[in-house]
Amino acid sequence: DAKTTQPNSMESNEEEPVHLPCNHSTISGTDYIHWYRQLPSQGPEYVIHGLTSNVNNRMASLAIAEDRKSSTLILHRATLRDAAVYYCILRGNSGGSNYKLTFGKGTLLTVNP
Amino acid sequence: GAGVSQSPSNKVTEKGKDVELRCDPISGHTALYWYRQSLGQGLEFLIYFQGNSAPDKSGLPSDRFSAERTGGSVSTLTIQRTQQEDSAVYLCASSRDRGVTDTQYFGPGTRLTVL
């Protein structure tokens, strides 16, 4: 499985933008880039996903490098509620096990008031 | 609508006892997954159901672990003869289907403590 690399932790101030990086240099052409986050004492929740083009939704934006070897999750205005572990996950469209999520260690985001 | 629910939320048991953990997925979701999250191990996949069938049980750590799903809905994860290393949060997720763009919705988890 293609692997992802994320910083262990990042810190932000409330109401400022946050850019969470993810490296995936061995990504294949059919791999989707997914982001999930896990708030304290909760199950993970979906944030966003993309393949090649940048994506926006109500929670965040996903910027994907042209060579797809890295991506950045952007929280436009961090709130205290955004403090969580953020996971960058690749899900391939080929092969037999594309249904499961393979979680790495993720990035622990701390938001300061 | 209702999300994924799990019960119990907490379970404390003694080593050697059997436990059953329950998952109620989102109605209409054909795919159901169990994951485990323990200190130092992160989130790991256990088993995947499509309907009532489990085509992938590769993540079950030992034959003490089993799971079933009935009526294409409720799933039960059973751990027999529990050991202390089984202590973890057990998370259930469901998705509309198994595709790479199908979002997995997670329940709140069951925290299992084996004394």
Side-chain angles (χ1 to χ4, degrees):
Chain A
D1 290 337
K3 298 196 183 304
T4 63
T5 304
Q6 300 178 251
N8 291 334
S9 62
M10 290 186 66
E11 205 166 319
S12 175
N13 295 320
E14 201 174 8
E15 298 189 5
E16 289 184 357
V18 181
H19 291 232
L20 296 162
C22 181
N23 286 320
H24 28 78
S25 58
T26 59
I27 191 170
S28 75
T30 56
D31 285 341
Y32 282 79
I33 303 158
H34 288 250
W35 285 80
Y36 280 73
R37 71 179 185 182
Q38 188 172 22
L39 279 64
S41 302
Q42 295 189 28
E45 65 174 349
Y46 167 82
V47 178
I48 200 166
H49 76 272
L51 183 62
T52 55
S53 303
N54 295 345
V55 184
N56 300 298
N57 66 19
R58 65 175 179 81
M59 289 180 70
S61 296
L62 177 60
I64 301 172
E66 196 167 333
D67 63 5
R68 301 212 322 126
K69 294 186 176 182
S70 65
S71 60
T72 302
L73 179 70
I74 302 166
L75 306 179
H76 295 285
R77 289 185 66 194
T79 69
L80 296 178
R81 194 194 172 277
D82 291 321
V85 178
Y86 287 78
Y87 298 98
C88 171
I89 299 168
L90 300 183
R91 294 184 72 183
N93 220 358
S94 62
S97 60
N98 55 4
Y99 42 82
K100 62 184 173 185
L101 298 176
T102 302
F103 291 87
K105 296 190 184 305
T107 297
L108 174 63
L109 175 65
T110 301
V111 181
N112 300 314
Chain B
V4 177
S5 61
Q6 294 185 245
S7 61
S9 54
N10 280 285
K11 176 72 176 177
V12 180
T13 190
E14 293 179 350
K15 179 181 171 182
K17 295 284 180 68
D18 297 352
V19 295
E20 283 190 353
L21 312 180
R22 176 186 168 108
C23 172
D24 282 89
I26 293 173
S27 178
H29 280 193
T30 63
L32 185 147
Y33 316 81
W34 284 96
Y35 294 85
R36 180 171 74 171
Q37 186 168 31
S38 51
L39 284 174
Q41 293 295 325
L43 266 154
E44 54 181 348
F45 166 82
L46 296 179
I47 187 170
Y48 151 65
F49 286 92
Q50 186 66 36
N52 292 335
S53 301
D56 187 350
K57 307 178 184 179
S58 63
L60 295 178
S62 76
D63 59 8
R64 297 185 295 103
F65 287 72
S66 63
E68 66 173 11
R69 188 179 185 195
T70 56
S73 181
V74 172
S75 177
T76 302
L77 177 69
T78 301
I79 309 173
Q80 295 179 310
R81 304 181 302 282
T82 52
Q83 304 294 312
Q84 288 183 332
E85 62 262 28
D86 300 334
S87 296
V89 176
Y90 290 82
L91 292 155
C92 175
S94 70
S95 60
R96 187 175 50 85
D97 207 333
R98 56 164 282 169
V100 290
T101 59
D102 284 308
T103 297
Q104 292 190 18
Y105 296 88
F106 284 79
T110 293
R111 180 175 297 276
L112 175 66
T113 303
V114 182
L115 302 177

